Amino acid sequence: MGAACQRSLPRQSPDEIALPPPAPVRLHIYDVGTSGEVKMINRVLRPLGAGAFHCGVEVFGLEWSYGDYEQGTGVFNCRPQCCEGHTYSESVNMGKTSMLEAEFKARMKMMEVRWLGKDYDLLKKNCCHFSDEVLTLLNVACIPAWVTKLANAGAAVAAAGERIEQRRKSLGTLLAAQVAENVCCGCDVHSAGKQSVEVIPSMSVHRACPEGGARRYEDSDDELERGQSPWPDAFVEAKRSKLEL
């Protein structure tokens, strides 16, 4: 054997190892459902920067998306532009990713655990939100705003409604507590939820008047009718002395 023969492959430095070229990433957009009604509505809303859309991310030959499933993960994949239950509309090039396919599949396994089908929410956690996270993972362009505008607007309205309802309940609780405090003052509340109210009778003010060596008590109401003061004589005399000074 000559010196030109070798039994081992020549070593390559890490810089010389050939990496696969960046993979293209595309966002496929669908009109929700298969009826023509949503398609017509989207044609009106699209120029306004809104619409009701389903979408999925295509990378490494598969389209990935998220849906409503009773059990297990909501993450699924299909052939590009062929998602069942929706009507394909258009595609948007999102750039290219340098992530390797094996790493991407490992990341998707992790996302399958977090994106469960039972957690699907039409306004807050839908296929568009999932696609946006996948695009972020691939380090490409973000999902167009017009794709998520309608869902985001609905979520904002729903959140505002929840805040108003919460404030209404809080105000109602506060008013109820205030009323209970005022009404139940001096009441004993038992564990059975019943209340025993202590009735305090009204008390009339009397004045002692000397008459024939004896003391007579007259009701203050009778004195008021005659224009007299219901206060004791000592208080009246003291008041007169102060006025004379």
Side-chain angles (χ1 to χ4, degrees):
M1 296 177 63
C5 297
Q6 297 183 5
R7 296 184 60 185
S8 60
L9 295 174
R11 295 182 179 180
Q12 291 180 324
S13 64
D15 296 336
E16 295 176 345
I17 297 176
L19 296 176
V25 180
R26 305 180 74 192
L27 180 70
H28 300 304
I29 301 169
Y30 302 77
D31 296 318
V32 173
T34 56
S35 66
E37 296 178 356
V38 176
K39 184 175 182 179
M40 293 178 61
I41 293 174
N42 284 345
R43 295 301 173 270
V44 175
L45 295 178
R46 179 68 176 84
L48 303 177
F53 302 109
H54 169 80
C55 58
V57 177
E58 178 191 351
V59 64
F60 302 117
L62 289 176
E63 178 180 326
W64 296 82
S65 191
Y66 172 70
D68 181 10
Y69 295 95
E70 295 182 358
Q71 296 181 350
T73 184
V75 178
F76 66 92
N77 61 68
C78 62
R79 291 188 296 112
Q81 305 178 9
C82 297
C83 184
E84 295 182 0
H86 303 288
T87 306
Y88 173 75
S89 176
E90 60 182 294
S91 298
V92 180
N93 292 321
M94 307 303 295
K96 295 183 178 182
T97 180
S98 58
M99 181 177 291
L100 299 178
E101 183 175 359
E103 181 183 357
F104 173 76
K105 289 182 177 180
R107 295 290 189 91
M108 294 307 295
K109 287 292 183 181
M110 298 173 61
M111 292 185 66
E112 288 177 358
V113 178
R114 293 190 296 105
W115 291 79
L116 299 178
K118 64 181 182 64
D119 296 333
Y120 182 93
D121 186 278
L122 185 61
L123 299 178
K124 300 178 181 179
K125 192 173 184 179
N126 57 31
C127 57
C128 298
H129 300 105
F130 173 81
S131 297
D132 193 34
E133 183 168 331
V134 174
L135 294 174
T136 302
L137 175 67
L138 294 171
N139 196 25
V140 292
C142 298
I143 193 170
W146 56 268
V147 176
T148 58
K149 183 176 182 179
L150 188 62
N152 291 341
V157 172
E162 292 176 359
R163 288 195 297 270
I164 293 174
E165 180 65 15
Q166 184 62 36
R167 291 177 182 176
R168 185 189 67 80
K169 291 181 179 179
S170 300
L171 179 60
T173 303
L174 180 62
L175 291 176
Q178 187 67 30
V179 170
E181 181 180 353
N182 293 335
V183 173
C184 298
C185 183
C187 304
D188 294 331
V189 181
H190 302 289
S191 59
K194 299 180 180 180
Q195 297 178 350
S196 62
V197 182
E198 179 184 356
V199 179
I200 303 175
S202 60
M203 180 179 65
S204 300
V205 179
H206 297 81
R207 183 170 64 90
C209 299
E211 182 179 352
R215 300 182 66 85
R216 181 175 61 87
Y217 294 90
E218 297 180 355
D219 193 277
S220 61
D221 294 338
D222 296 333
E223 294 180 346
L224 289 175
E225 292 178 358
R226 298 194 301 269
Q228 298 178 3
S229 171
W231 297 100
D233 292 338
F235 180 82
V236 175
E237 294 297 333
K239 187 175 181 180
R240 288 176 179 173
S241 300
K242 185 176 181 180
L243 291 175
E244 290 175 358
L245 294 175

